[in-house]
Structure formats: structure tokens, C-alpha cells
Amino acid sequence: MGPLIPNEIITGDWNFVIAILIGIAFGFLLEASGFSSSRNLAGVFYGYNFVVLRVFFTAVIVAMVGLLYFDYFGWLDLSKIFILPTYLSPMILGSVIMGIGFVMGGFCPGTSFTAIAIGKMDALFFAIGLFIGIFIFGESFPLFKDYYYSGSMGNVTLTDVTGIAAPWFAFGFTVIALAAFWVSAEIEKKVRKNTKEYKF
Amino acid sequence: MNKNYIFLTVLMLLLALGTFFVPKKQLVSHEVKPEKLLLDITQPSRYVTTDQVAKMIIEHDPTLELIDVRPADEYDKFSLPDAVNVPLKDILTPEGQDNLGIEDMNAVFFSNDDIMSDQAWVISTRLGYKNIYVMKGGLNCWIETIINPVEPPETAPKTAFETYQFRKAAGMYFTGGNSIKTDTGVKKAKIKVRRKKKEKAASGGC
């Protein structure tokens, strides 16, 4: 059946409608997970709050395992979905910059807008900085354009690169994630006194 | 610790283990795509407009060959006059390829939108067939432009009105107009394709 637009079940005009619905759902879930609080978000870097790790790891393993079943049931043809092209070293550098910004500002781009939606001032300034950063990046882009596009590996998946079947990754990530859940819960119990407040 | 979390942990582990037992799909080996194909794909020259197709149908253009790449059940419900049905999944079968590569014929693929017909175009181009085209916008565009054309605003250029006039007339041709209620179906005539040995079109390419 899926993906719906390449299979012509619905037309490409629906792209933006679907985008806005997913966006609303995503924003709601970020807020519901407590991601509009920079204390929750940055806690993972200081080792007292691992809600970010748990929420994102849950999303990753549910999506990973779920997609494999969806493909099997014929609901979503995995060979037709878009795979983001990989640029190895620019992506690593980009993640480091993103991580530094995350721990300094206490938000990532998406969560800062969720926090603005509930009226957080720090998020507002974070978002202003975000746009200043985007502007600087855009204006100086020609300077590092070559690096930006270097090391292209194409639209590859881990299976393409390593030759290891997808279920191994799904299972491996699931085990790591589940272990991380339990370990982080233990750490939180030791570090924090008021565990009642953040129910695990 | 909450019992629910133990249950969820076990459930997630079992689901992840289950993915090992999901049967694998046959992976298509990736062939090297020729640069020419890449070049051709980026060219819009393969597109014909619904207006052009309508004109050719009305004029009974003998070189026009309409190929509907939608599934058979959709083809049975509605299609263009004299179109043959070659569902996208059958395009590689010998029966499907009989409709391609006929000398002096221009094959025009169409589907609901133009995504499937574009795919059919890429596949048949890779197989080395010539003179194949895609109807831009597909049947959705056909309904919008030919069957239900929108009158251009008064400030539109003269050509827009000419196009509109043509579309109105073409729409009447295809729907039977308002007065003469014949059965709308210029029903799909079973086209007997002359099966002709093609000069090894399918063997080359990839």
C-alpha cells in the first residue's frame, strides 16, 4: 500500500496537509514528553535526567522494528522510501556542533518551538539565535560548500554499507536501548532524591 | 519498579527478535545506470500535454498509441478511448512489451497522476525502446483540463481563450456534449496488436 504518494493512492498535493498533521502530532508529543523544559533536555548531559534518551530511543526502536513488520505486511514498501544521503565527515562535525548547541542552549530546534508555544522566554531567545545562526550559515555557505558536500556516500543504509541484515541492527538497537532504559533509571534513582516528581 | 515496564521490555525484545523470522524480499541487484538515461530523465521532452493527446485522439492520429499503466480494475472503470491496458507490474512481461517499440508508433503512457507512467517510461527507456512519452498530469489532469475546463479570467491572453475553446469542444467530443446523449463510452476496443519481432530491443540496454 504505502508509501501513499509514490503509489498514486493520493496525489502529491497532500504533502503539506500531511506535513502539518505530522507536525502537530510531533509538537504535541514533544510537549507531552516534557521536552519543552530545557532542564529536562540538558539533564541527559549532566547525568540527572535521562528522559531525552528514553523518549528518543523508544521512538527509534519502535519505528525500526515497526517498519520491518510494515514492509512484511505490505503496508509500506521500504524499497520506495526516501533515504537521506550520507556525507560522513560533514555529518559528524554537524552533530558535534548540534550537540554543543544543545547542551549550551538547552533546546534542540524542534523543542525550542514547542517551548515557545507554551510561553518560555529562554526558548524565544534560543529561536532568535537559531535564525541568526541560519542567516550566518546561509551567507557564508560558499566558504565551506566544498566540505559540506564532501564524502558523499549516496543514499545508503547500514545494511548497504556493512552487508549485515536489517534485523540485526533492529535487535541490537533494541537491546542497547532497553539496557539504557534500566541503567539510566538506576542512575536517576541514585542521583535524585525526589524521584516521585519524575515518575519513571 | 513498575511491572508495566518489565512487560514492555519483554514485549519489545520479542518483537525485535521476531524481525529475524520475517521472510526476506528478493533484493534487486543494482545495475549501473547509463549517463544517458540520467540525462533523458531530466529532460521534460518526454511529456505530452492532455491537450495534445486530446487533439490526436480527435483527429484519429494513426501513430498514437495510448497505454494505461494503472491496474486492470481501474482501467475497466474508466480509461481513455482506444487505450490498451498494461499494468505497471506487467510492463516487463512479453505481453506488456508487445505494445512497445512498434515502428512509427508513439506510445503515450498515462496513469492517474504521472508518477506510475514516469516509472513505466524509465523502465521501457532502459530497455531501449524509442518514441515513448508520458501524459503530463495523467488522468487527473485530463479530467481537470479536458472534461471540466475552467474559463480563464477576462484579462487572460488570447491563447488562453483559444485553449479554453478547444478544451470545451474536446470535452463535448469525449462526453457526448449536452444534447446528444449517446452512451458516453467510446468503449475500449480490443486492440489487436500486431506482434512483430522487434530488433532485439529488450535484450540490450541493461
Side-chain angles (χ1 to χ4, degrees):
Chain A
M1 194 172 87
L4 296 177
I5 291 171
N7 281 341
E8 297 192 347
I9 292 168
I10 53 178
T11 69
D13 297 342
W14 281 91
N15 266 332
F16 290 113
V17 179
I18 294 170
I20 203 167
L21 292 178
I22 292 177
I24 291 169
F26 184 57
F28 173 77
L29 289 175
L30 282 180
E31 161 58 22
S33 323
F35 277 25
S36 50
S37 152
S38 51
R39 284 198 186 81
N40 268 349
L41 290 168
V44 70
F45 294 104
Y46 300 114
Y48 64 82
N49 188 331
F50 292 94
V51 66
V52 175
L53 183 139
R54 282 197 291 267
V55 170
F56 278 127
F57 251 151
T58 307
V60 166
I61 60 176
V62 170
M64 263 181 127
V65 172
L67 283 182
L68 290 176
Y69 282 109
F70 270 41
D71 190 39
Y72 169 56
F73 293 138
W75 296 340
L76 181 72
D77 189 348
L78 281 188
S79 63
K80 280 189 181 170
I81 61 170
F82 175 71
I83 294 164
L84 202 68
T86 302
Y87 301 91
L88 196 56
S89 77
M91 275 181 166
I92 291 173
L93 181 70
S95 334
V96 171
I97 295 173
M98 158 97 190
I100 293 171
F102 199 160
V103 70
M104 273 168 59
F107 290 108
C108 63
T111 53
S112 72
F113 290 109
T114 343
I116 291 175
I118 61 164
K120 290 255 168 92
M121 283 304 280
D122 56 343
L124 185 63
F125 284 100
F126 183 93
I128 293 170
L130 190 81
F131 281 110
I132 294 173
I134 290 171
F135 180 74
I136 295 171
F137 177 82
E139 288 301 311
S140 56
F141 182 65
L143 292 177
F144 34 76
K145 189 178 171 191
D146 288 340
Y147 179 68
Y148 187 85
Y149 289 118
S150 67
S152 170
M153 296 168 72
N155 308 41
V156 290
T157 61
L158 280 172
T159 306
D160 294 336
V161 175
T162 58
I164 301 168
W168 284 101
F169 287 108
F171 184 68
F173 262 98
T174 307
V175 170
I176 293 170
L178 292 173
F181 293 166
W182 290 95
V183 171
S184 64
E186 286 304 311
I187 295 174
E188 278 184 357
K189 242 199 281 181
K190 290 229 172 65
V191 173
R192 274 212 312 256
K193 279 158 200 126
N194 55 345
T195 40
K196 279 270 160 53
E197 190 188 337
Y198 303 88
K199 232 178 171 178
F200 172 50
Chain B
M1 197 130 304
N2 199 327
K3 247 186 198 155
N4 284 338
Y5 289 107
I6 298 172
F7 169 70
L8 285 174
T9 307
V10 174
L11 178 71
M12 198 63 225
L13 266 179
L14 287 178
L15 281 173
L17 269 175
T19 58
F20 283 104
F21 301 100
V22 169
K24 287 243 166 22
K25 281 191 190 163
Q26 233 36 31
L27 277 177
V28 186
S29 65
H30 282 286
E31 295 146 1
V32 186
K33 286 170 191 162
E35 282 168 21
K36 189 179 177 314
L37 180 67
L38 198 63
L39 194 72
D40 286 348
I41 287 171
T42 55
Q43 299 294 324
S45 57
R46 67 173 173 283
Y47 288 120
V48 291
T49 63
T50 46
D51 292 324
Q52 286 170 314
V53 172
K55 194 157 183 284
M56 285 192 277
I57 296 176
I58 293 170
E59 290 174 350
H60 296 288
D61 188 333
T63 66
L64 175 70
E65 188 195 8
L66 287 165
I67 300 177
D68 188 343
V69 296
R70 299 173 306 157
D73 54 336
E74 288 182 47
Y75 169 79
D76 288 336
K77 276 183 212 145
F78 173 77
S79 191
L80 295 182
D82 292 342
V84 283
N85 183 220
V86 182
L88 185 58
K89 63 180 169 57
D90 298 335
I91 201 110
L92 287 170
T93 60
E95 288 79 8
Q97 294 194 9
D98 272 334
N99 298 297
L100 298 168
I102 304 170
E103 228 185 306
D104 294 331
M105 291 293 266
N106 296 315
V108 176
F109 286 123
F110 68 92
S111 54
N112 283 331
D113 206 313
D114 48 33
I115 298 170
M116 273 157 109
S117 30
D118 259 344
Q119 288 170 349
W121 183 89
V122 172
I123 291 170
S124 12
T125 305
R126 277 190 83 178
L127 289 171
Y129 292 108
K130 300 273 185 303
N131 296 335
I132 37 181
Y133 301 90
V134 170
M135 186 166 88
K136 184 85 187 136
L139 285 175
N140 289 336
C141 185
W142 175 269
I143 298 291
E144 269 171 36
T145 55
I146 305 295
I147 307 298
N148 300 315
V150 181
E151 187 169 4
E154 285 174 5
T155 50
K158 190 172 165 230
T159 47
F161 281 96
E162 283 166 4
T163 311
Y164 175 65
Q165 291 301 337
F166 167 75
R167 285 174 176 177
K168 284 260 286 193
M172 270 178 221
Y173 176 87
F174 288 110
T175 56
N178 295 328
S179 49
I180 325 146
K181 271 273 176 268
T182 53
D183 57 324
T184 56
V186 188
K187 256 299 170 216
K188 305 126 203 172
K190 257 277 167 247
I191 291 201
K192 194 82 203 123
V193 182
R194 47 194 174 114
R195 306 211 162 177
K196 174 172 173 226
K197 278 280 158 281
K198 277 154 283 192
E199 52 303 310
K200 72 177 182 95
S203 62
C206 35

